[in-house]
Amino acid sequence: MTSTPDLHQPRPERFSALEPQLVAWRRHLHMHPEVSFQEHQTAAYIAGELRGMPNLEVSQLTPTSVLAVRKGTRPGKTVLLRADIDALPMTEENSFEFVSQNPGSMHACGHDGHTAILLGVAKLVSEAPDWDGELRMIFQHAEEQSPGGAEELVFETSLMDGVDVATGLHLNSQLPAGVVAVRPGAFMAAPDNIYITVLGRGGHAAHPEEATDPIAIGAQIVSNLQHVVSRGVSAMEALVVSVTYFQAGTTTNVIPDRAELKGTVRSFDPGLRERAPALIERVVKGICDAHGARYEYRYENGYRPLINEAGVAETLRQVALEVVGEARTREANATMGGEDFSAYLEKVPGAYFNVGSGNPELESGFPHHHPRFTIDEAALSTGVQMMYAAALRLGKAEL
């Protein structure tokens, strides 16, 4: 692979010199988490840091997102880099000095690290004497809560006007720090939700024959929904149906008149995703009809499946080979997790990749959304190097 000679790639020592600032940014953000659509102070902090950097146009397309743009004088493509900035509504159980100061809110998915990484890229880009084409860096709100901040930015603002290609990263505590993983094609699933209410007839628990028991009916629904996966679709298709909420009753001697069930449905294939609501309702209706109950059913689409464009994914793989070397470049595993970066890929080709942040010695291997989640901060520099090099390469790539 040839190098990109006149694009002012920073020297390795410049990345090293940036590391303390990356850590400081990440720890400030970790201490002050804000949940989806409430990231007002987070956005203000990011905007303030960006406005202290030269050669950037800084704006806010929504109340809690921030956009930084670097326009060069030389020809090139318009590249979009994205970082998500929101936290989760959960209580942190870590004990380090920069633990969350906002009770009930925590950066338990690495978004503080994503933000620090893109701030680092912005700083290096702002210091470059020139740039090829245009680089847009979007600090996106509300990835954790459907319909997601990407939906608003992509379809309700001018963010994507003229963009040629998009990329972003996610820190991954289940990969060793320093590893980069990318894959072409299906990477992350569509995370849809189901809501079911079984409407029975209440009565005394000593006389179940006089009632229509929604708990017994709901239990059959939970069990039989797995037949949608094992018998309703091809074994070659990937589908997950998980009931994660079952609420009914108030005491021991009363059969309630209703039971509420909630769950998630995960898929990659658009055709299967389209069939899934009817397959699930068929089971619910059949069981309720068989037992004389009524039901209410709602299927809620979440984010689209995230499908990496093969050419962009290959470019990112080549960048990873240069940044971290062959031994630390891997093909990412597809996951049933969801990610609203998929919205950007509705408009332009792009790809999403992982940077490892796990380190047993630092206890940074807890899974995402765990109350003790944290990262090996050495991953921040890897992320900056990957995103910066990707921006350079994608700005020149034939797409």
Side-chain angles (χ1 to χ4, degrees):
M1 170 167 288
T2 59
S3 61
T4 50
D6 54 356
L7 286 178
H8 306 286
Q9 173 74 30
R11 294 179 178 275
E13 57 266 26
R14 184 66 189 94
F15 289 110
S16 299
L18 187 60
E19 289 174 5
Q21 180 64 72
L22 295 174
V23 170
W25 280 325
R26 183 257 166 167
R27 293 187 178 187
H28 173 90
L29 292 161
H30 193 89
M31 289 177 66
H32 304 285
E34 293 178 299
V35 298
S36 301
F37 297 104
Q38 304 299 319
E39 311 95 329
H40 297 282
Q41 295 304 313
T42 302
Y45 175 77
I46 294 167
E49 294 298 301
L50 292 168
R51 290 191 174 106
M53 302 175 190
N55 300 315
L56 298 180
E57 299 176 8
V58 181
S59 62
Q60 291 190 242
L61 298 177
T62 72
T64 56
S65 65
V66 184
L67 174 65
V69 179
R70 174 69 200 267
K71 295 179 178 177
T73 63
R74 296 181 297 196
K77 292 182 168 60
T78 297
V79 178
L80 179 78
L81 304 183
R82 175 269 209 168
D84 40 14
I85 70 174
D86 56 325
L88 285 157
M90 55 187 293
T91 299
E92 183 164 9
E93 294 180 3
N94 287 311
S95 58
F96 39 62
E97 67 275 12
F98 54 92
V99 71
S100 170
Q101 302 298 300
N102 292 346
S105 299
M106 178 190 174
H107 273 296
C109 201
H111 297 189
D112 50 346
H114 304 169
T115 304
I117 287 168
L118 195 53
L119 282 170
V121 174
K123 183 169 180 60
L124 295 176
V125 168
S126 74
E127 295 170 351
D130 203 350
W131 196 260
D132 285 353
E134 180 177 322
L135 182 64
R136 299 183 193 177
M137 294 162 281
I138 183 66
F139 296 81
Q140 180 211 303
H141 61 305
E143 186 276 331
E144 295 287 1
Q145 181 177 323
S146 182
E151 188 79 7
E152 182 179 11
L153 286 166
V154 170
F155 298 103
E156 300 178 23
T157 77
S158 60
L159 174 66
M160 301 302 292
D161 292 353
V163 172
D164 295 300
V165 61
T167 191
L169 63 77
H170 205 299
L171 295 171
N172 188 335
S173 67
Q174 305 307 295
L175 291 174
V179 165
V180 174
V182 62
R183 68 177 291 118
F187 183 25
M188 303 184 77
D192 300 336
N193 295 320
I194 51 173
Y195 303 87
I196 302 164
T197 302
V198 178
L199 302 170
R201 185 173 70 252
H204 199 294
H207 303 286
E209 75 281 2
E210 298 175 358
T212 302
D213 187 348
I215 295 177
I217 296 168
Q220 290 190 44
I221 290 172
V222 173
S223 177
N224 279 275
L225 282 179
Q226 296 315 306
H227 288 269
V228 172
V229 177
S230 65
R231 294 296 181 266
V233 303
S234 167
M236 305 305 294
E237 296 180 293
L239 179 69
V240 170
V241 180
S242 295
V243 175
T244 57
Y245 177 99
F246 193 137
Q247 180 67 45
T250 58
T251 189
T252 59
N253 61 351
V254 175
I255 294 175
D257 63 358
R258 66 173 54 213
E260 293 186 11
L261 290 72
K262 302 177 185 178
T264 187
V265 182
R266 307 290 174 114
S267 61
F268 293 110
D269 181 74
L272 176 56
R273 187 189 191 196
E274 188 174 335
R275 302 198 321 267
L279 292 171
I280 292 167
E281 185 171 15
R282 183 176 67 185
V283 170
V284 175
K285 182 179 187 303
I287 292 173
C288 287
D289 286 349
H291 295 283
R294 295 176 296 115
Y295 70 93
E296 296 172 352
Y297 172 72
R298 178 163 60 93
Y299 190 101
E300 179 183 85
N301 282 338
Y303 306 146
R304 301 164 185 83
L306 197 163
I307 312 298
N308 282 340
E309 198 277 328
V312 179
E314 175 59 21
T315 298
L316 293 174
R317 190 183 74 86
Q318 293 296 330
V319 169
L321 290 171
E322 293 184 357
V323 171
V324 299
E326 185 174 1
R328 292 188 173 187
T329 300
R330 301 182 183 177
E331 179 164 309
N333 295 321
T335 171
M336 283 294 182
E339 166 59 68
D340 77 343
F341 184 80
S342 56
Y344 300 96
L345 304 186
E346 288 291 297
K347 293 285 189 177
V348 297
Y352 198 62
F353 64 98
N354 284 160
V355 171
S357 63
N359 186 337
E361 295 181 3
L362 300 177
E363 296 188 321
S364 66
F366 287 98
H368 294 250
H369 296 207
H370 189 281
R372 290 199 58 200
F373 176 86
T374 190
I375 65 170
D376 181 346
E377 291 171 328
L380 300 175
S381 184
T382 303
V384 171
Q385 293 176 65
M386 277 297 303
M387 290 282 266
Y388 190 97
L392 290 179
R393 190 67 50 78
L394 291 171
K396 280 186 166 293
E398 292 299 324
L399 302 173

